[in-house]
């Protein structure tokens, strides 16, 4: 279930907002008052999210709505109800709503853009290297197969790997994950 970006600002005080993007993306700008629980750490945060959901509705946010929809599905499987912000922070900003951003925070590219750059680069590298060593063409085929698998399963192994890179990790001034869990559990 989604919440339209036109309705969310008026009801923002009712929600506990959870942003499931990487800490780097979160630092680049997020819905005011949001907690950063990366998608790959939702299971770890289940008890804190369950406590927050008991106090009021959870609104799950990401860049476009895709990861937040996955997050809602995962939480639902854990018995926690949550709504996804339709269109994510992209739609939020486009609608003219404010975002919080730590002073001096770096703004990495959104994860989908990082995945497109990495996948495209690997395909081009495999294609070009294939002229000198024909088996290198398999690299392009494997990346293509990975993208098909990603679309079919609505998961992205490449994004999970890229999320671990230093530019996608929390900055020195970020709230530690454990403290975020304590604040959520409240």
């Amino acid at each position: 279930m989604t919440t339209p970006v036109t309705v969310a600002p008026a009801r923002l005080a009712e929600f506990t907002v959870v942003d499931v993007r990487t800490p780097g993306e979160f630092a680049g700008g997020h819905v005011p008052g949001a907690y950063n629980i990366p998608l790959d750490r939702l299971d770890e945060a289940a008890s804190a999210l369950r406590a927050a959901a008991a106090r009021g509705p959870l609104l799950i946010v990401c860049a476009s709505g895709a990861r937040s929809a996955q997050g809602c599905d995962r939480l639902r499987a854990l018995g926690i109800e949550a709504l996804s912000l339709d269109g994510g922070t992209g739609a939020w900003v486009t609608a003219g709503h404010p975002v919080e951003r730590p002073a001096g925070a770096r703004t990495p590219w959104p994860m989908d853009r990082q995945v497109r750059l990495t996948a495209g680069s690997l395909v081009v590298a495999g294609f070009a290297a294939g002229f000198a060593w024909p088996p290198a063409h398999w690299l392009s085929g494997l990346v293509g197969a990975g993208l098909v698998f990603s679309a079919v399963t609505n998961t992205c192994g490449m994004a999970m790997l890229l999320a671990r890179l230093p530019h996608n990790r929390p900055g020195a001034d970020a709230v530690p994950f454990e403290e975020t869990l304590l604040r959520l559990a409240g």
Side-chain angles (χ1 to χ4, degrees):
M1 193 161 151
T2 64
T3 297
V5 74
T6 54
V7 173
R11 296 185 54 207
L12 195 57
E14 297 174 33
F15 294 113
T16 297
V17 182
V18 177
D19 193 317
V20 295
R21 296 176 299 159
T22 66
E25 290 176 292
F26 180 79
H30 53 271
V31 173
Y35 295 92
N36 185 218
I37 304 290
L39 185 60
D40 63 345
R41 298 190 80 176
L42 279 180
D43 292 340
E44 190 178 340
S47 63
L49 291 166
R50 191 171 285 111
R55 293 189 305 272
L58 296 180
L59 180 63
I60 310 300
V61 181
C62 68
S64 66
R67 284 180 280 176
S68 60
Q70 289 177 11
C72 285
D73 290 344
R74 187 172 302 161
L75 291 174
R76 200 168 301 109
L78 296 169
I80 303 168
E81 287 302 315
L83 301 169
S84 174
L85 180 65
D86 193 30
T89 54
W92 180 269
V93 169
T94 300
H97 304 304
V99 293
E100 288 180 350
R101 182 177 287 120
R106 62 189 189 281
T107 306
W109 285 357
M111 188 54 66
D112 65 320
R113 188 173 180 191
Q114 292 180 48
V115 167
R116 289 193 312 263
L117 175 69
T118 304
S121 297
L122 289 171
V123 168
V124 169
F127 178 76
F131 289 116
W133 187 56
H137 281 130
W138 281 101
L139 176 61
S140 299
L142 290 172
V143 171
L147 292 171
V148 169
F149 179 80
S150 174
V152 170
T153 63
N154 200 26
T155 62
C156 186
M158 188 177 291
M160 287 184 246
L161 289 173
L162 291 171
R164 298 184 190 287
L165 293 176
H167 65 274
N168 286 320
R169 292 195 179 171
D173 59 341
V175 175
F177 184 72
E178 293 73 20
E179 186 175 329
T180 300
L181 293 180
L182 289 173
R183 290 179 184 182
L184 268 173

